[in-house]
Amino acid sequence: MSFTLAIVGRPNVGKSTLFNRLVGKRLALVDDQPGVTRDLREGAARLGDLRFTVIDTAGLEDATDDSLEGRMRRLSERAVEMADACLFLIDARAGITPNDTLFADILRRSGKPVILAANKAEGRAAEAGLIEAWELGLGEPLALSAEHGEGLAELATRLAPMV
Ligand code: GDP
Ligand code: MG
């Protein structure tokens, strides 16, 4: 069994962008695995020398505001359950939102190791959000830019002892 990392966070923080960067074209469809719906995507990730399985929580994009919170919670809890560790993404440009706080609580309760990453951290617009991220009480936020490929070496350093 390979080490499994779940990327979790509210919609639009950059989870799929990071998933695609880690997985490239090595996306495995997991329809035949019990307990895995089309709303969870699983792929074989490469990061430096590290090889592991990564899960992206998709399928939230078309939820209505009313159903979003419940769906987000259920999907994310399932992804967290399947994972050995979680990468919790927030949007450094947006700062902490109530949904981020909801996720922080889900992750804390799971008892799984959590790496907190403030994505979209390229450039100065992200500095305040990076500092605000400490308020989630999940340790030092990692500055990440999934789109520009920044912070990946630091992510590898954090993951290396677990994988
Ligand atoms: P998801 O809903 O969490 O899966 O988020 P997506 O990966 O779909 O990204 C949402 C939006 O954020 C897209 O427009 C991305 O291009 C953008 N995005 C993702 N990563 C970054 C980043 O590092 N910097 C910036 N500025 N935008 C990003
Ligand atoms: Mg997505």
Side-chain angles (χ1 to χ4, degrees):
M1 273 296 277
S2 101
F3 175 87
T4 298
L5 179 73
I7 305 174
V8 297
R10 65 177 176 80
N12 212 39
V13 293
K15 297 181 298 298
S16 298
T17 304
L18 180 64
F19 177 91
N20 290 337
R21 185 172 276 282
L22 293 173
V23 169
K25 293 193 185 340
R26 297 177 299 280
L27 172 62
L29 294 175
V30 290
D31 290 343
D32 55 340
Q33 292 186 12
V36 180
T37 74
R38 65 190 161 76
D39 293 334
L40 295 178
R41 292 196 302 159
E42 191 178 277
R46 276 191 205 188
L47 182 59
D49 294 334
L50 304 177
R51 302 287 181 272
F52 53 94
T53 300
V54 64
I55 299 173
D56 179 22
T57 45
L60 297 169
E61 291 74 10
D62 50 353
T64 67
D65 283 347
D66 281 349
S67 68
L68 184 61
E69 187 172 313
R71 283 194 68 190
M72 217 163 56
R73 182 187 288 274
R74 281 191 299 278
L75 251 185
S76 303
E77 282 174 344
R78 179 126 41 82
V80 170
E81 212 168 287
M82 292 166 66
D84 298 301
C86 302
L87 181 62
F88 176 29
L89 289 195
I90 64 149
D91 178 338
R93 286 158 191 255
I96 303 304
T97 73
N99 275 331
D100 292 325
T101 306
L102 180 91
F103 273 105
D105 291 338
I106 291 173
L107 289 167
R108 239 190 305 276
R109 273 201 308 274
S110 78
K112 300 265 169 98
V114 178
I115 297 171
L116 168 63
N119 190 40
K120 311 192 186 183
E122 78 279 355
R124 302 211 46 184
E127 282 172 12
L130 200 55
I131 291 167
E132 212 177 296
W134 283 93
E135 291 170 19
L136 291 167
L138 289 167
E140 182 176 4
L142 171 70
L144 200 67
S145 174
E147 198 158 88
H148 299 266
E150 295 171 12
L152 295 174
E154 177 64 23
L155 176 60
T157 301
R158 298 256 202 126
L159 281 171
M162 306 183 199
V163 174

